[in-house]
Amino acid sequence: MPEPPRSPADRPIRFGYPSSPRTAREILAAAGWGEDRAVLAPYDLTDPFSALRRDELDVLVVKFGIQEPDLVTSEVLHVESRAVVVGARHPLAGRDAVSIEEVAAYDAFDRPGDFPAYLWDELVPHRTPQGRPIHRRHRVNDITEMMALVVQSDAVHLSVASLADLAPPAIRVVPVDDLPPVPVRLAWYRHRELPRHVAEFVAAAVPSQPSAPAGGV
């Protein structure tokens, strides 16, 4: 006999994240939700919000301050430290921490695909606080390509500390101690009612967030 349909409360949340799943798992745990209640999926960095808009994901982890009129964002859940990705033989690789002024001596990465330019400007600014230009000369489509190029050259990628979760032995993720930490939020599509179980998750993850509209599915 076929299994009975799952109740809305039993359906897994389709939960997208940008690179490492660590932040998504931490948000689930803080909300009191087990990982068995979510399907975690990395989203396409060349077009990061398309899966949410196509109803392929229910909610995303987003970092920095997104400015997409059709997306709703939660209050800040926590912040994540900045870091730079370098090859293990890079001059900065053996440091406990570095300054953004030092990072600017090396070629960085431009935005992948249709990644929003305003968000990339926060991740990889055009200039350091002291006015030194950051040369965004390399362009790749995903984390794997970026790390491969970093291993083969002196290229650097300004990012966040959680990328260390994905780093192979030939990569170092070094803290950048003079950039502000990155705010982390949830985001969902404005023009579609959230399924009830997703709205319940958002309410548990962000207790002070106004109730997200929930549908009956």
Side-chain angles (χ1 to χ4, degrees), residues 128-147:
T128 70
Q130 294 182 17
R132 189 171 185 179
I134 295 176
H135 300 290
R136 305 192 297 192
R137 293 198 168 117
H138 302 294
R139 193 155 189 164
V140 295
N141 290 318
D142 58 35
I143 298 293
T144 300
E145 290 182 14
M146 178 274 292
M147 289 190 174

Side-chain angles (χ1 to χ4, degrees), residues 48-64:
F49 309 127
S50 59
L52 192 60
R53 290 169 172 141
R54 292 195 302 264
D55 197 22
E56 295 170 3
L57 293 171
D58 296 312
V59 65
L60 300 180
V61 174
V62 293
K63 299 178 182 182
F64 296 102

Side-chain angles (χ1 to χ4, degrees), residues 117-205:
Y118 71 90
L119 277 180
W120 198 257
D121 289 346
E122 293 198 60
L123 184 67
V124 186
H126 287 283
R127 292 186 176 275
T128 70
Q130 294 182 17
R132 189 171 185 179
I134 295 176
H135 300 290
R136 305 192 297 192
R137 293 198 168 117
H138 302 294
R139 193 155 189 164
V140 295
N141 290 318
D142 58 35
I143 298 293
T144 300
E145 290 182 14
M146 178 274 292
M147 289 190 174
L149 184 55
V150 162
V151 169
Q152 299 163 12
S153 69
D154 280 348
V156 298
H157 177 50
L158 276 169
S159 188
V160 291
S162 60
L163 268 190
D165 299 344
L166 307 178
I171 290 285
R172 301 290 182 270
V173 180
V174 183
V176 176
D177 59 9
D178 55 354
L179 285 180
V182 177
V184 177
R185 299 176 173 89
L186 297 178
W188 56 92
Y189 190 57
R190 183 181 300 277
H191 304 303
R192 186 170 48 243
E193 284 190 335
L194 290 179
R196 183 172 293 117
H197 66 300
V198 180
E200 290 172 354
F201 165 68
V202 170

Side-chain angles (χ1 to χ4, degrees), residues 47-118:
D47 192 5
F49 309 127
S50 59
L52 192 60
R53 290 169 172 141
R54 292 195 302 264
D55 197 22
E56 295 170 3
L57 293 171
D58 296 312
V59 65
L60 300 180
V61 174
V62 293
K63 299 178 182 182
F64 296 102
I66 69 170
Q67 302 168 24
E68 305 295 313
D70 61 340
L71 302 186
V72 181
T73 57
S74 74
E75 295 181 2
V76 175
L77 301 181
H78 60 267
V79 297
E80 185 169 355
S81 300
R82 299 300 308 272
V84 63
V85 181
V86 299
R89 297 182 180 179
H90 193 280
L92 301 179
R95 301 279 296 279
D96 292 332
V98 296
S99 164
I100 183 60
E101 307 298 333
E102 298 172 279
V103 172
Y106 304 93
D107 290 344
F109 287 78
D110 205 347
R111 65 192 180 103
D114 293 326
F115 192 98
Y118 71 90

Side-chain angles (χ1 to χ4, degrees), residues 22-33:
R22 183 206 305 179
T23 300
R25 288 173 173 151
E26 290 173 347
I27 293 171
L28 284 168
W33 287 52

